[in-house]
Amino acid sequence: MNISICNEEVSIDNITYNDGLNYGRFDSSEIEVFPYEYSISKEEFVSLMSRSYEEGLEEIRKDDINCNEVSAFSQMNYADINSAFGHPEAFGEAVETFFDRELFGKTLANSEARNYIINSTEKVEVSNEKITIIGRCFRRK
């Protein structure tokens, strides 16, 4: 896993994430906002998120059937986590909608001592080898 801010790699010891209700909001004009990219290998993602993915998949499958809805999971034909990488757009949507902050919680310490705070997920890119989450963060004053 690696994280870059403004295209420069940053130690994970210097980054946390907002796990609160204001995720995605930048209400104060006084904060400095920076673009970030968080990349994690397929193997690491699968290791960390398999259980959550399978539980989410089953829950959404039931909702899709009961509510006659179409979801990112149905677009992947309810693929298992390894096969989901073969559906980059739908899998990226599922990660962005359901798993981004849980993944951050499993890989980034939630600490007041961290300088940068991830505060949005704006795009998720999926390849056969990795997942990249792109968004904005801010610097703690």
Side-chain angles (χ1 to χ4, degrees):
M1 173 193 54
N2 67 355
I3 301 174
S4 63
I5 297 175
C6 295
N7 296 317
E8 290 190 29
E9 193 164 336
V10 177
S11 168
I12 63 166
D13 295 333
N14 206 14
I15 299 176
T16 188
Y17 71 105
N18 175 7
D19 65 350
L21 296 175
N22 290 327
Y23 189 79
R25 292 176 61 188
F26 296 88
D27 294 337
S28 173
S29 61
E30 297 177 17
I31 61 173
E32 290 180 87
V33 179
F34 306 93
Y36 78 86
E37 288 191 13
Y38 169 110
S39 295
I40 187 166
S41 70
K42 176 181 180 177
E43 295 77 23
E44 192 173 5
F45 184 86
V46 169
S47 174
L48 290 170
M49 300 299 293
S50 285
R51 183 174 180 174
S52 295
Y53 178 86
E54 295 303 324
E55 289 171 357
L57 181 145
E58 290 307 317
E59 183 178 325
I60 297 301
R61 182 192 320 248
K62 289 176 187 172
D63 286 350
D64 288 351
I65 292 167
N66 291 335
C67 300
N68 197 28
E69 294 181 340
V70 175
S71 68
F73 292 101
S74 66
Q75 293 171 17
M76 296 184 288
N77 199 27
Y78 304 101
D80 64 66
I81 194 167
N82 283 297
S83 300
F85 280 83
H87 306 271
E89 288 185 29
F91 189 35
E93 180 184 332
V95 170
E96 182 176 350
T97 304
F98 300 106
F99 303 114
D100 58 345
R101 285 196 277 170
E102 181 177 350
L103 178 63
F104 295 151
K106 290 182 178 192
T107 58
L108 302 173
N110 199 353
S111 166
E112 293 291 320
R114 311 298 167 124
N115 289 335
Y116 292 98
I117 300 144
I118 290 176
N119 197 51
S120 75
T121 300
E122 295 172 7
K123 183 178 181 183
V124 177
E125 296 176 345
V126 176
S127 72
N128 288 328
E129 298 87 33
K130 68 180 179 177
I131 292 175
T132 302
I133 300 173
I134 300 165
R136 294 181 295 155
C137 64
F138 61 89
R139 186 181 302 167
R140 191 183 307 273
K141 289 191 172 203

